[in-house]
């Protein structure tokens, strides 16, 4: 992650993304934490943790890294120690966000496709354990990243900006670390999301055909099947969240695979270079994925919309009471 070149598009896009991302995720955290959206506590645990990690990505990657780099290039945040810490926080928050989405997808896969395992796995205790493990491993994995940076230049004994050390490119240990890091996020999560969704769809189609056949035999064609209706509602949230993740991360993954396969990276200052455009498009869409879940909840969950309306009305109600 890095601050993009000074470009009017980015100068508008990233402040807008920060404003929307912070507001949307705070709203999601507040509303979901109240537990009035008709979702199970297990699902709520995952959704709240995903909103928190997405909020941290917006704060670290968008506000502290990109906006700061574009508008305040020589602030305290641009010193090498601060820059190195911010990079570690960005990677840790991003990995947590990605793997919490995978954990949620796996939880819903078990709930839909593995009825025998559902009662044991889809619990608050398991959710808390999965969330804690993901967050802890994401932090531990990225701590070594602090050591790969050195000052780009030194002014009055103050180190400024972050430049990757040459040993990072020549050391076998760092090469292994880099590859493991790249594979663990986003390649493996991306493939897991695709696989889990394909298996879930296949199971749903097979189960739906079976139920329709049974209902046809019992001549209950005119009645609404409550089981199918319940299953439909339970998978809408899963598919919209995981589908949005896959869609918005595709450009980033394609760019990563292309750069790795051809060893063709953008390293210049020509911001009209197609490689730069592809790279920044992938980064921009990947960061956008940290803002979409709240809107997904609002579209797919009726009770979430009602709670959102109540939260938005609260300041107006407070003003009315104060005026009285």
């Amino acid at each position: 992650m890095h601050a993009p070149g000074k470009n009017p598009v980015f100068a508008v896009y990233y402040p807008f993304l920060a404003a929307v991302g912070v507001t949307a995720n705070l709203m999601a955290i507040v509303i979901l934490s109240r537990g009035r959206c008709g979702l199970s506590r297990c699902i709520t645990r995952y959704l709240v943790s995903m909103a928190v990690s997405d909020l941290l990505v917006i704060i670290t990657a968008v506000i502290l890294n990109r906006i700061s780099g574009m508008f305040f290039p020589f602030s305290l945040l641009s010193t090498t120690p601060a820059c190195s810490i911010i990079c570690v926080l960005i990677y840790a928050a991003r990995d947590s966000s990605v793997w919490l989405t995978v954990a949620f997808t796996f939880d819903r896969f078990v709930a839909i496709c593995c009825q025998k395992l559902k009662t044991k796995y889809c619990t608050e205790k398991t959710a808390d354990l999965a969330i804690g493990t993901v967050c802890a491993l994401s932090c531990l994995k990225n701590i070594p990243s602090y050591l790969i940076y050195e000052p780009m230049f030194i002014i009055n004994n103050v180190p400024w900006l972050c430049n990757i050390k040459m040993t990072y490119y020549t050391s076998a240990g760092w090469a292994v670390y880099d590859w493991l890091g790249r594979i663990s996020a986003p390649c493996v999560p991306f493939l897991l999301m695709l696989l889990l969704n394909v298996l879930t769809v296949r199971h749903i189609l097979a189960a739906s055909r079976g139920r329709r056949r049974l209902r046809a035999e019992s001549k209950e064609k005119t009645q609404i099947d409550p089981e199918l209706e319940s299953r439909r509602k339970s998978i809408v949230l899963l598919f919209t969240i995981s589908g949005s993740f896959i869609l918005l991360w595709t450009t980033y993954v394609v760019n990563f695979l292309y750069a790795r396969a051809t060893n063709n990276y953008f390293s210049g200052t020509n911001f009209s270079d197609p490689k730069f455009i592809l790279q920044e498009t992938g980064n921009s869409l990947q960061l956008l994925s940290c803002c979409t879940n709240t809107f997904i909840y609002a579209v797919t969950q009726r009770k979430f919309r009602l709670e959102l309306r109540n939260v938005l009305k609260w300041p107006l109600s407070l003003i009315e009471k104060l005026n009285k």
Side-chain angles (χ1 to χ4, degrees), residues 58-264:
I58 295 296
I59 291 173
T60 55
V62 179
I63 298 176
L64 298 183
N65 179 261
R66 291 172 177 267
I67 293 177
S68 173
M70 284 190 293
F71 296 103
F72 310 101
F74 291 100
S75 67
L76 178 62
L77 296 176
S78 296
T79 59
T80 303
C83 173
S84 301
I85 292 173
I86 290 172
C87 287
V88 173
L89 294 176
I90 290 171
Y91 296 138
R94 184 201 62 181
D95 287 358
S96 296
S97 176
V98 169
W99 280 101
L100 285 173
T101 306
V102 175
F104 168 74
T105 304
F106 182 74
D107 178 88
R108 292 300 85 201
F109 166 76
V110 171
I112 295 169
C113 304
C114 309
Q115 293 299 313
K116 293 182 179 179
L117 185 60
K118 177 181 176 180
T119 54
K120 293 182 178 180
Y121 184 84
C122 300
T123 63
E124 288 182 81
K125 184 177 180 180
T126 303
D128 290 339
L129 179 61
I131 293 166
T133 302
V134 166
C135 294
L137 291 178
S138 296
C139 292
L140 290 173
K141 172 207 162 192
N142 289 290
I143 288 176
S145 299
Y146 182 85
L147 303 175
I148 71 176
Y149 299 105
E150 63 182 2
M152 189 169 289
F153 50 85
I154 299 175
I155 302 176
N156 296 328
N157 293 324
V158 178
W160 289 96
L161 303 180
C162 287
N163 191 41
I164 297 178
K165 298 175 181 177
M166 286 303 299
T167 54
Y168 186 76
Y169 300 104
T170 58
S171 168
W174 281 121
V176 171
Y177 176 79
D178 180 64
W179 266 104
L180 289 176
R182 299 288 186 174
I183 291 172
S184 65
C187 293
V188 171
F190 191 84
L191 293 174
L192 282 175
M193 296 278 281
L194 285 173
L195 175 63
L196 291 171
N197 277 280
V198 168
L199 293 175
T200 303
V201 169
R202 191 176 70 171
H203 175 85
I204 290 170
L205 291 175
S208 297
R209 284 196 296 267
R211 286 195 64 82
R212 288 195 187 98
R213 193 181 306 113
L214 289 173
R215 289 177 61 79
E217 292 173 358
S218 61
K219 299 181 180 179
E220 296 181 5
K221 297 180 181 179
T222 59
Q223 297 180 7
I224 297 175
D225 188 345
E227 178 66 22
L228 288 178
E229 187 66 15
S230 175
R231 184 181 292 128
R232 184 189 68 80
K233 291 180 179 179
S234 68
I235 64 176
V236 165
L237 185 63
L238 166 64
F239 286 166
T240 49
I241 290 177
S242 56
S244 171
F245 174 89
I246 292 170
L247 181 65
L248 293 174
W249 274 80
T250 297
T251 305
Y252 182 93
V253 172
V254 168
N255 178 62
F256 164 72
L257 294 176
Y258 168 77
R260 286 288 171 177
T262 62
N263 200 29
N264 190 4

